Amino acid sequence: DVKVTQSSRYLVKRTGEKVFLECVQDMDHENMFWYRQDPGLGLRLIYFSYDVKMKEKGDIPEGYSVSREKKERFSLILESASTNQTSMYLCASLKSSGKRTDTQYFGPGTRLTVL
Amino acid sequence: QKEVEQNSGPLSVPEGAIASLNCTYSDRGSQSFFWYRQYSGKSPELIMFIYSNGDKEDGRFTAQLNKASQYVSLLIRDSQPSDSATYLCAVQGAGNNRKLIWGLGTSLAVNP
C-alpha cells in the first residue's frame, strides 16, 4: 500500500512566521503535489513536483514556495504566514507509469491555523 | 478554463437506497476519471476510476462514463450510513497526465 505521511495533523502559527509543512511518501513516486482545501472552494493546487529539484506552479502559488531535495520528500513553505493561509493542506503523490489509471494518493492532511 | 462540475448537494437518501452522484466536465479530450470519497476532517481516498465509455462495477459502486455527453456518474447501491461523506470527481486531461481537475464535491447523507 502507498503511504503518504505529513509532518503534523494540526498546526497553529502566528502571522509573519515562516512555516514548513513536510510530506513523505514511501512508494518511489516521481510526482508529488501540494493542495489546499477550503469550504466552497474545493481542492486547489499550489505546487507540484515531477522529479527531484523540479517544480511547477499550480493554480495558487502566491505566498508559497516548495522544496524537493529527495524523491520521497516534498516540503511546502509559507515564507510569511498570513491569516488567509489558514486552511487544510493536503499532500499527494503519483507514480508516472504512463497509464490512464495512475492515481493520486493523499496524506492525512495538515490543518493550519494562522493567528 | 477546464472545469469539472458537481451538484454540491446535500443529497439525502434513505438507508438501502441507490445514491446517484453526477459530474460533468468541459475538456472533451479528458482521458481518465476518478471518484474520491472524503469524510469530514479526513483526506480524499480513491473509490474507483474509469476511462472507457460504459459502466464499471466494484462491489456496491458503479461508475458510468459517457464521453459524448461529457458526463460521469457514481452509483452507490444499498447505501449505508457509513457512505455519508463528500464525493469528489476528478478528471485527468489529455495533455498533462499528472494534474487532475477537481470538482467541488457532492455531499451525501444516508439516513438510517
Side-chain angles (χ1 to χ4, degrees):
Chain A
D1 279 354
V2 176
K3 189 167 185 182
V4 182
T5 58
Q6 295 183 227
S7 49
S8 305
R9 287 287 283 122
Y10 299 94
L11 206 53
V12 180
K13 295 292 182 181
R14 298 213 173 268
T15 301
E17 281 193 80
K18 191 169 185 176
V19 181
F20 293 86
L21 303 181
E22 296 224 308
C23 176
V24 177
Q25 51 92 6
D26 68 354
M27 285 302 292
D28 203 36
H29 285 179
E30 296 83 2
N31 306 282
M32 298 184 75
F33 304 80
W34 275 108
Y35 294 93
R36 64 177 285 178
Q37 187 175 33
D38 302 285
L41 297 177
L43 278 165
R44 292 182 291 168
L45 182 64
I46 304 171
Y47 267 98
F48 77 98
S49 169
Y50 49 91
D51 203 349
V52 175
K53 299 190 186 295
M54 305 303 287
K55 62 186 179 185
E56 191 168 314
K57 292 180 180 179
D59 301 317
I60 52 163
E62 297 79 16
Y64 303 94
S65 62
V66 291
S67 172
R68 191 159 180 210
E69 297 296 319
K70 293 185 177 181
K71 192 174 186 179
E72 66 271 17
R73 188 180 300 268
F74 191 33
S75 301
L76 180 69
I77 303 151
L78 287 67
E79 296 289 343
S80 177
S82 64
T83 55
N84 63 13
Q85 292 179 309
T86 292
S87 186
M88 170 71 96
Y89 289 87
L90 290 159
C91 175
S93 75
L94 168 74
K95 184 164 186 65
S96 283
S97 64
K99 298 178 182 176
R100 285 180 288 181
T101 56
D102 287 341
T103 302
Q104 289 191 22
Y105 294 92
F106 285 85
T110 295
R111 173 77 63 182
L112 172 67
T113 301
V114 182
L115 302 175
Chain B
Q1 181 80 3
K2 298 175 184 176
E3 293 182 343
V4 174
E5 296 199 359
Q6 297 180 253
N7 189 326
S8 63
L11 174 66
S12 183
V13 300
E15 185 174 354
I18 296 175
S20 178
L21 304 161
N22 305 315
C23 173
T24 59
Y25 59 95
S26 62
D27 182 5
R28 188 168 287 278
S30 298
Q31 294 284 309
S32 300
F33 308 85
F34 301 83
W35 283 101
Y36 284 78
R37 177 176 62 201
Q38 187 174 25
Y39 292 113
S40 180
K42 304 293 186 182
S43 60
E45 55 180 334
L46 179 72
I47 298 175
M48 57 192 307
F49 57 80
I50 186 168
Y51 55 83
S52 298
N53 272 331
D55 294 1
K56 179 182 178 184
E57 188 173 316
D58 184 0
R60 295 186 296 112
F61 298 95
T62 299
Q64 299 175 319
L65 176 61
N66 183 326
K67 288 187 176 181
S69 300
Q70 295 176 236
Y71 176 94
V72 57
S73 65
L74 180 70
L75 301 178
I76 307 175
R77 290 183 300 281
D78 188 23
S79 295
Q80 301 297 309
S82 59
D83 295 325
S84 298
T86 296
Y87 290 80
L88 302 174
C89 173
V91 175
Q92 184 180 79
N96 185 329
N97 66 1
R98 299 186 186 100
K99 293 196 287 186
L100 295 175
I101 309 299
W102 294 86
L104 296 183
T106 297
S107 175
L108 172 66
V110 180
N111 305 307

